[in-house]
Amino acid sequence: MTASRKSHSGTIPLIPQRVSILGVTVDDVTEDEAVRVIDGLIRNGGVHQVVTINPEFVMEALRDPQVRKVLNSASLATPDGIGILWASRVLKGLPIRERVTGVALVERLAKQSVIRGWRIFFLGSAPGVAEKAAQTLRHRYAGLQVAGCYAGSPSLIEEPYVRSQISDANPDILLVAYGHPAQDMWIARNQPFLNVPVAIGIGGTFDEIAGIVPLAPLWMHKLGLKWLFRLIIQPQRINRIFTAVVRFPIRVVRERIFGPTQHTTKSL
């Protein structure tokens, strides 16, 4: 099964399948397919938003219809979270084939950009982190073109200046690391003025690539225990992790048992 969307920017490349998780659309794409779709978006022209969906995104969308609208309007919504894969099996009986993490996606795009000649702008995270992440990727992928790096903030007051920095740099891909939902709402507000072909919200990816936050061991990734590793090294994330590993599964099971309900701002 394939699917495509129409937008003001034209036809979005074919995607194998789309799955609705508690009212939020997630695309069943592998890493390879996600990169191919983004390549197509850049080739087709126009401006496009890519979101990386994890359980926190879904729960936020249940609370806030504006967030849900932005997520469901994205040109591509990748499955970034083991909980999303689990929910697709429980709710649809059609498992999403592969998790596409923000780190993996950025790494793949950096590699592909050397071939395609794409220029990438790194926006967000703490001061100096975007630069360090860009430098790390430059070392890994010789020839990577970094259009610019800027920490900035998602505040409305700073938006005109940030837009000017990005517009002057004229990138092909904009990576925004303001955290969800701020990054995704920022892109939705500003992308129409930037004329950047593809803008992607990538959360804490810069921190991981730059080595600011240690990566979970491979065995924990395979077992879907990255959340436990993050809780150990960043206990301040307990509320976010509780949402992902407790509140989200409860909501999924409730829908599985009682059937779909209207997805409003109400939550657990």
Side-chain angles (χ1 to χ4, degrees):
M1 177 180 178
T2 57
S4 63
R5 293 176 185 160
K6 288 280 189 179
S7 75
H8 66 280
S9 303
T11 302
I12 295 168
L14 291 175
I15 294 172
Q17 181 169 267
R18 291 197 157 95
V19 178
S20 177
I21 305 296
L22 303 182
V24 174
T25 298
V26 184
D27 295 316
D28 178 15
V29 288
T30 64
E31 289 180 12
D32 287 340
E33 290 166 349
V35 172
R36 285 200 295 270
V37 170
I38 291 171
D39 184 21
L41 296 176
I42 295 173
R43 288 170 178 268
N44 284 355
V47 295
H48 305 276
Q49 180 169 2
V50 175
V51 295
T52 55
I53 305 294
N54 64 30
E56 293 175 59
F57 284 49
V58 176
M59 296 304 288
E60 184 67 29
L62 286 171
R63 291 189 291 269
D64 189 334
Q66 285 301 113
V67 170
R68 184 167 66 251
K69 180 180 178 181
V70 166
L71 297 181
N72 287 339
S73 298
S75 299
L76 175 66
T78 64
D80 182 2
I82 195 70
I84 297 298
L85 275 63
W86 169 80
S88 74
R89 290 194 299 270
V90 172
L91 294 174
K92 307 297 180 181
L94 297 169
I96 291 175
R97 292 164 294 158
E98 182 174 296
R99 181 184 178 192
V100 182
T101 68
V103 172
L105 184 59
V106 170
E107 291 269 3
R108 293 293 298 272
L109 290 175
K111 182 178 181 180
Q112 187 71 7
S113 72
V114 176
I115 300 170
R116 297 296 190 193
W118 299 332
R119 303 174 71 253
I120 302 178
F121 195 103
F122 295 70
L123 175 67
S125 200
V129 175
E131 288 84 352
K132 189 170 183 181
Q135 183 180 31
T136 299
L137 291 173
R138 271 176 167 162
H139 285 311
R140 292 176 185 168
Y141 309 105
L144 171 64
Q145 298 183 60
V146 176
C149 300
Y150 185 66
S153 81
S155 71
L156 293 173
I157 294 175
E158 196 173 356
E159 281 186 5
Y161 179 75
V162 176
R163 284 203 302 262
S164 70
Q165 294 294 300
I166 297 168
S167 296
D168 289 346
N170 193 31
D172 299 291
I173 297 174
L174 170 65
L175 304 177
V176 184
Y178 285 145
H180 177 75
Q183 64 192 16
D184 306 291
M185 302 305 286
W186 189 95
I187 292 172
R189 289 194 307 271
N190 291 280
Q191 177 71 325
F193 305 103
L194 293 172
N195 293 320
V196 178
V198 172
I200 311 172
I202 45 83
T205 294
F206 291 166
D207 292 334
E208 295 193 39
I209 291 175
I212 305 300
V213 174
L215 295 175
L218 183 59
W219 68 269
M220 296 188 83
H221 270 288
K222 290 182 176 180
L223 292 176
L225 295 175
K226 181 180 176 181
W227 64 268
L228 179 58
F229 180 80
R230 295 298 291 271
L231 180 60
I232 292 171
I233 65 171
Q234 294 179 303
Q236 69 273 18
R237 293 170 59 95
I238 187 168
N239 288 336
R240 295 177 58 183
I241 292 172
F242 181 80
T243 293
V245 303
V246 178
R247 297 177 68 234
F248 175 73
I250 289 174
R251 190 66 184 246
V252 169
V253 171
R254 176 192 294 178
E255 181 150 318
R256 179 67 180 85
I257 294 173
F258 298 106
T261 57
Q262 184 178 5
H263 299 116
T264 67
T265 55
K266 294 182 180 180
S267 186
L268 289 174

